[in-house]
Amino acid sequence: MAQLDERQLDPAVALAALDDAPPRTPHRQYALKDGDCFVVANDRGDIQGRGDGLFRDDTRVLSLLRLRVGGREPTLLGASLSQDNIVFTANMTNMPLEQLPQGIIHVERSRLLWQDRMFERIRLANYSDRELVVPVSLEFDADFRDMFEVRGTARRKRGRTFASETSADHVVLRYEGLDTLVRQSVISFSEQPVQLSAGNAEFRISLARRGGGSLFVEVGASHVAPPSRERHRSATAHARWRMRAKRRHGATLHSSGRVFNDWMSRARADIALLTTELATGPYPYAGIPWFSTAFGRDGVISALQMLWLNPGLAKGVLSFLARHQATETLAFSDSQPGKIMHETRKGEMTALSELPFGRYYGGVDTTPLYVHLAGAYARRTGDMAFIDELWPSLCAAAGWIDAMRASHEHGFVAYQRAADTGLSNQGWKDSSDAVFHADGRIPQGPIALVEVQGYAFAAYRGLADLASRRGDEAAAKRWAECAESMRTAVERHFWMDGKGFYALALDGESKPCEVRASNAGHLLFVGLPSPERARRLVDQLLAAGFQTGWGIRTLADDEIPFNPMSYHNGSIWPHDTAICGAGMARYGERDSLVRLLSGTFESAVHFNMRLPELFCGFTRAPGEAPVAYPVACLPQAWSSGSAFMLMQACLGLEIDGFENEIRVNRPRLPIGIDTLTVRRLRVGRAQVDLNFQRVGDRVAAFLDARDEGRAPLVVRS
């Protein structure tokens, strides 16, 4: 098998491989999702066949859908998503038609997904003083490409595409993959087209004077019934009811700032949109379009971000990852006993083992992060019964960490792909050029990333606490000693005294990659650095080399490979900024954290209240907006969750599930916010409303009167 170049998996490279058309702009794309089905289209609702489309089970089942009125693209008036992320709506008007001026017909196009089916309504309103018959056409196609093909991976051979089958009111597009699975899309219409071909449907919509008319379209795997107003309304009602049920899980935030509330509401809605109910419980899929599936690292970090508000999400993530934990060593999938899954896929290419990502374990950080999440979940909830169920899995994960450390000269957790088909870089910065020496050289493996050692440190500390609570003091002592030995080793081998910073990584010869990257900020999050070194690290992360005014760059701007437009070497990732910010708060840096939260909020405002997967790392200038990265996922779970991680850090809020106690340490409120309430915050069996109010230059925290005594509140100012 030909070696897989992981640059083919980088979205920036993927679209360049598709065609010479301009790349999609994610902040002008609109995404809907239902289970393992999602759709991405432009602001007119059109699917162009670049990185967009209707996808089901990692296969693009609709690659083209263009609406034309009178043979021309309508003029866009505006586009939006409903607050609950269920309905996309584009408002348009006609271009000049024969004997009809521009702007006489209002075209409203609305769309939703329900039960792996796309429902669309095209409604026309006639504002002229005469009756009209308006030509409307839909151009369509389905290329049935695997997600990795859409991302740019070339295939030597594909399956068989069948000729389209047309009937009076629908058309069937069908493809048989090399895996012998037949995939099909059925496009159905509420009205019989005046002309229907393999790739185009034409209609004549009669509109009374000052009247209107509608066309309903459905796209699914089968033809179940003719589209209709009733079916469209029913699907909308069911989808909205289920989304309301998902959004009711956990606490919510409400502040005195209307726009700030819009951001919180959109972020919460995006988490709900991306969360899929699996057999093991809720799981936040990573992002749309490239990563709409279960990722280990992304799921764990998203669960950590939401843990204080909704611990049920963490329980679902832990359950799923435990069920799919590796039990054998396989080079193709980078699996080893005890290792936690990195990624899972359902498409044709993974089914045929053309790629290893059907169930892939090539993530060095997922296993310690998984253990860390289990400890954090237990502290948040006190749910030791679930930890007892999980205990064999946690011990197996700890065994994998131990084995990795035993094979390394200095006792670190390092990675090196076992087969050429795997990812060469296996931390969160997994593009091929994301790890390097100060002179730009790519190091030879095995690679020990600095943040991974921090995660292992946190995992050991969490295991020590859990073992103690289970009455196993010998295991608790051993794991506590492992944590301290890891701390000592990191301080000795990663610290660069001349730069006042931690090295990005150690290469295969244990030589440090003396690069200042944001990875070191993750050590603050787990509390590994000494206070003195933490102070030096924080000062640099807040200085101009990293701080842009919009967030923290992934790489200092004086490093050789720095490029603010790159994927990992100078861009801004909101989740990375949030982890670094939460780490700063852990070491007492609250006022700077408030400014960091403010910059993140203002970034979200410019991106229509949705933080993308990443954006460019240019320094903020007066009057300018943050610069979008052209092929970022939007929405992205851990970008949405960043709002809540930063908010928790500002509030200094911690919940002790074992003591059923809320602790607030030196709280701060965002700039411009005078009051904030955390509603329906669950502490043990109690559910309370926790209030924060600015009083002069301080922030007071208090429970509603009806909640006093139900859960103790301890406040340190």
Side-chain angles (χ1 to χ4, degrees), residues 152-172:
T153 302
R155 299 182 69 189
R156 295 177 180 176
K157 186 179 179 182
R158 297 191 80 247
R160 178 168 56 131
T161 301
F162 294 86
S164 302
E165 301 173 12
T166 60
S167 65
D169 60 355
H170 68 273
V171 59
V172 181

Side-chain angles (χ1 to χ4, degrees), residues 57 59 144 146 155 157-160 175-183 346-354:
D57 291 335
T59 300
F144 296 101
D146 186 281
R155 299 182 69 189
K157 186 179 179 182
R158 297 191 80 247
R160 178 168 56 131
Y175 166 80
E176 182 180 13
L178 297 177
D179 58 355
T180 72
L181 183 64
V182 175
R183 298 165 172 87
K346 297 180 179 179
E348 178 186 357
M349 294 177 71
T350 54
L352 294 167
S353 295
E354 295 178 28

